[in-house]
Amino acid sequence: MVARDVLHRAPKVLLHDHLDGGLRPQTIVDLAGVIGHELPTSDADGLARWFAESCNSGSLELYLETFRHTVAVMQTPDALRRVAREMVLDLAADGVVYVESRWAPEQHLTAGLELDQAVAAVRDGLAEGMAEARVKGTPIVARQILTAMRHASSAREIAELAIRHRDERVAGFDIAGAEAGYPPTRHLDAFDYIKRNNGYITIHAGEAFGLPSIWEAVQLCGANRLGHGVRVIDDITISGDQVQLGRLASYIRNVRVPLEMCPSSNVQTGAVASIADHPIRILAQLGFRVTVNTDNRLMSNTTMTREFERLSDAFDYQLSDIRWLTLNAIKSAFSPHPDRLALIENVIKPGYQTLLEELDQSA
Ligand SMILES: O=c1[nH]cnc2c1ncn2[C@H]1C[C@H](O)[C@@H](CO)O1
Ligand SMILES: [Zn+2]
């Protein structure tokens, strides 16, 4: 097991974190006060507990209901900018050196904002956060992923928005929301648009629904990465020391489709029974391109350090395992290849090297 302090100092990479799932509780209270939005409680600690407890139901649909409070307070440029800036600072303070933060612009128009203005507000918040984090000595690269909601019909418009702002810190396109009953192929025209414009796609799939969703995401929609993807385990048969991969699981492993796994979130929504039962361990052993993510830090009361700590507890992961997971993540980022190499060589590898040497000396 790796000590919390070591995990905290280790450079970390976060590919799957929702902007509207990571607000500071006090910020929700402040912003709700300004617009007169009624919260379950106006005490920040109580609110943090309310989110974590309401999200423990084992149902993705109930989990998603809690977002109405966070989305409600993120309807103005100032609010979006504040939330984005604080997200960057909180992650930098947790040792995250690269983040792709996702959110659904179509959910932020109720006070009259236009899609492009909303994206610009988040862009400005990211820039402010990065500048402040650098001054504090915790540099971080922060980008956004634009999400379309799978039950809605704005996916094509959001795909166009993502391409239009690709040179302004928009890294890619995603779909999220309730999975059962809303297959990714409902939005084929959006994915087609992204592909024709050489953009990048990640799709929430294989979380609350199984292999057909993953197959559609990868083979029909052209997903470059899978959000969660835990159910790929259903295409793997294990008996004794015999392991048999089905065609889909083989394909995903062979072409190195990154799996954005979110252990705590998966337990809360019932995708897995417990951290100890999470397929991430076997998938990592089999050589899948697995990555570790927070999903929603507020709803899961978690951080990247905490996710690694839980895995390290459950599976006796060592720092070398955390390093491998982090390298998987940065290799899978939707950023230019030379930028990824520079982060690997200048930040990630030296960061782990220092920690590994310290551990050696104290052994
Ligand atoms: O884990 C998730 N699965 C599907 N949808 C999700 C998950 N976490 C957050 N969302 C939804 C709720 C948010 O409002 C939306 C955009 O971030 O994405
Ligand atoms: Zn998610």
Side-chain angles (χ1 to χ4, degrees), residues 84-163:
R85 170 184 164 270
E86 291 177 353
M87 175 275 294
V88 175
L89 289 172
D90 291 352
L91 293 178
D94 188 40
V96 173
V97 296
Y98 178 93
V99 59
E100 289 171 7
S101 170
R102 64 187 72 196
W103 62 293
E106 69 199 58
Q107 300 190 122
H108 301 265
L109 311 178
T110 59
L113 214 55
E114 307 225 336
L115 288 171
D116 295 271
Q117 288 175 304
V119 172
V122 170
R123 174 201 65 201
D124 292 347
L126 299 182
E128 281 174 27
M130 285 194 297
E132 284 177 53
R134 176 166 295 282
V135 170
K136 287 186 174 170
T138 53
I140 177 172
V141 175
R143 309 181 75 208
Q144 43 178 326
I145 289 178
L146 302 189
T147 294
M149 299 308 290
R150 51 204 313 157
H151 59 268
S153 48
S154 340
R156 168 66 186 240
E157 205 182 342
I158 303 304
E160 290 175 14
L161 186 70
I163 294 297

Side-chain angles (χ1 to χ4, degrees), residues 150 175 178-189 191-192 195 201-206 209-227 229 232 235 248-249 251-252 257:
R150 51 204 313 157
I175 58 167
E179 187 175 6
Y182 300 102
T185 39
R186 283 188 84 221
H187 306 293
L188 267 183
D189 61 333
F191 298 120
D192 184 59
K195 285 281 165 199
I201 297 172
T202 176
I203 296 181
H204 278 77
F209 198 64
L211 293 175
S213 181
I214 295 181
W215 176 77
E216 283 194 10
V218 173
Q219 305 299 10
L220 303 184
C221 304
N224 301 102
R225 303 196 310 235
L226 288 171
V232 72
D235 202 33
L248 177 60
Y251 182 91
I252 286 172
V257 177

